[in-house]
Amino acid sequence: MSEHDFMPIDGWDHLEIWVGNAKQAAYFYENAYGFARTAYAGPETGVRDRASYVIEQGDIRLVLTSGLRGDSDVCRWSATKGDSVRDVALAVPDATHAYRQAVQRGARGIAEPHWVEDEHGRVELATIGTYGDNVHSFVNRSEYTGPYLPGFVAHTPNGRPAPGVGLISIDHVVGNVELGRMDEWVAFYERVLGFTQLTHFSDEDISTEYSALMSKVMTDGEGKIKFPINEPAEGKRKSQIEEYLEFHGGPGVQHVAMQTEDIVKTVAALREHGVLFITTPDAYYDDVEERVGDIDQDWAALRSMGILADRDEDGYLLQLFTKIVQDRPTLFFEVIERHGSRGFGIGNFKALFEAIEREQALRGNL
Ligand code: FE2
């Protein structure tokens, strides 16, 4: 029996982002990122304390939730952390089994296994805690045909077709944890979810003159779920991970990477919709061909969109990072197109961090 057999996971179910104003956040993710609204729950559907908008693109499902009164958990969250990922929910064949296994192995129980149902069937849910105030829900929707969860109503956006930018699936979700805590969370994912370590980047791999970080990547048995975990490393000045921890009030999700099959088209569409990306220095392209070798794409097209490339022993990948998507220097997104590579673009980290630090300096936090 292999290590992860006690915790079968089918894949990502959804990410729930707790925000200050879900109505406006939904508009942003629909119009800028090309998501389509599929379900809604709020006061009109009998939910008294919050409003949630479910938006989808390809296999990606995001749930944007805001609280309606100051004393709600969601409002307190957005006051202390800003808009930020609360739940990285995993699809499982048996949520009760997943919860019992996880809690028995030391996870903090947040919501006991339970079923919710309506005329479309029933869904089994359970939730455990992870780093910071983040949670992982286990979702078994094998007996459900409704739009999202019981309590939600199907939502058809105002007759306007969803723009869609070619995002097809979640690739990885990265957590930032405090200095010295990375190995603790690596051990947590090993013990509680049966994950294994995929890669390890040391501060020497990922350091600039000013800041550094350490990163380890945890993955499930089949490589469907990938959780890189970062911690700050000593640098001359405040690292971007420390900046995150300060403005987020503790650990949380740093970025969410989403896959596309045509990154030039996807990034062009996102730029057209006003999405801002990290600026890739021109000098980056001086030696990129030499570093990455032959690829199927046209370098001029990649350069015109500022797209980054990297290669490892399995193949290559193309990627680009958005700027931070709220005023606090916390959550951002990555668009990634994989050609064999199972890596995360380590060769780009330095180039990327130098670009991020230029922006950090502009905010006066470097
Ligand atoms: Fe990433």
Side-chain angles (χ1 to χ4, degrees), residues 172 174 255 321 334:
H172 58 274
V174 182
H255 74 267
F321 300 85
E334 172 184 349

Side-chain angles (χ1 to χ4, degrees), residues 171-172 174 228 254-257 319 321 332 334 336 344 349:
D171 188 87
H172 58 274
V174 182
Q254 179 208 39
H255 74 267
V256 175
Q319 65 187 163
F321 300 85
F332 60 91
E334 172 184 349
I336 184 166
F344 297 86
F349 276 48

Side-chain angles (χ1 to χ4, degrees), residues 318-349:
L318 305 169
Q319 65 187 163
L320 189 56
F321 300 85
T322 72
K323 291 194 177 183
I324 283 155
V325 291
Q326 58 286 307
D327 292 309
R328 295 193 200 199
T330 53
L331 180 68
F332 60 91
F333 291 93
E334 172 184 349
V335 179
I336 184 166
E337 178 181 331
R338 291 188 182 278
H339 292 267
S341 169
R342 297 185 301 139
F344 297 86
I346 188 165
N348 285 321
F349 276 48

Side-chain angles (χ1 to χ4, degrees), residues 94-341:
D94 184 338
T96 300
H97 172 83
Y99 178 90
R100 298 273 176 251
Q101 287 290 336
V103 168
Q104 197 184 317
R105 288 157 200 271
R108 193 161 40 95
I110 302 288
E112 289 271 333
H114 59 285
W115 290 88
V116 286
E117 55 184 289
D118 65 8
E119 70 272 23
H120 303 293
R122 59 179 200 157
V123 178
E124 184 189 27
L125 296 168
T127 306
I128 60 164
T130 177
Y131 49 75
D133 296 318
N134 275 66
V135 300
H136 292 303
S137 286
F138 298 119
V139 185
N140 163 18
R141 54 175 72 256
S142 60
E143 296 174 41
Y144 194 66
T145 58
Y148 171 57
L149 285 182
F152 282 72
V153 294
H155 196 292
T156 320
N158 340 320
R160 216 151 40 95
V165 298
L167 297 171
I168 51 177
S169 58
I170 294 173
D171 188 87
H172 58 274
V173 174
V174 182
N176 282 342
V177 302
E178 302 98 327
L179 181 65
R181 303 287 300 278
M182 176 179 65
D183 284 330
E184 195 180 306
W185 290 106
V186 163
F188 172 87
Y189 281 106
E190 277 169 356
R191 188 176 70 246
V192 167
L193 296 187
F195 281 22
T196 52
Q197 194 180 318
L198 193 63
T199 13
H200 171 206
F201 308 129
S202 76
D203 54 347
E204 282 173 22
D205 297 326
I206 317 173
S207 63
T208 64
E209 185 184 355
Y210 290 125
S211 72
L213 64 74
M214 308 262 279
S215 188
K216 289 183 178 176
V217 181
M218 303 308 293
T219 182
D220 68 310
E222 298 173 40
K224 282 178 294 204
I225 306 292
K226 293 185 280 287
F227 290 148
I229 301 167
N230 298 332
E231 70 173 17
E234 298 295 331
K236 278 191 198 164
R237 309 279 270 275
K238 184 191 287 181
S239 80
Q240 52 162 307
I241 311 300
E242 286 172 275
E243 187 195 36
Y244 176 102
L245 294 168
E246 179 186 334
F247 282 85
H248 190 263
V253 171
Q254 179 208 39
H255 74 267
V256 175
M258 300 182 285
Q259 281 197 34
T260 172
E261 284 171 347
D262 188 342
I263 194 168
V264 172
K265 228 183 202 168
T266 296
V267 170
L270 290 168
R271 286 191 188 278
E272 179 75 26
H273 298 163
V275 172
L276 300 176
F277 290 92
I278 291 291
T279 307
T280 307
D282 248 3
Y284 174 87
Y285 294 96
D286 292 350
D287 63 349
V288 71
E289 272 189 78
E290 200 179 315
R291 184 165 61 79
V292 177
D294 281 347
I295 61 169
D296 296 336
Q297 286 73 15
D298 173 29
W299 285 111
L302 296 175
R303 182 178 188 144
S304 74
M305 286 294 141
I307 292 163
L308 308 168
D310 198 25
R311 181 180 290 280
D312 59 26
E313 59 278 17
D314 300 314
Y316 71 97
L317 61 79
L318 305 169
Q319 65 187 163
L320 189 56
F321 300 85
T322 72
K323 291 194 177 183
I324 283 155
V325 291
Q326 58 286 307
D327 292 309
R328 295 193 200 199
T330 53
L331 180 68
F332 60 91
F333 291 93
E334 172 184 349
V335 179
I336 184 166
E337 178 181 331
R338 291 188 182 278
H339 292 267
S341 169

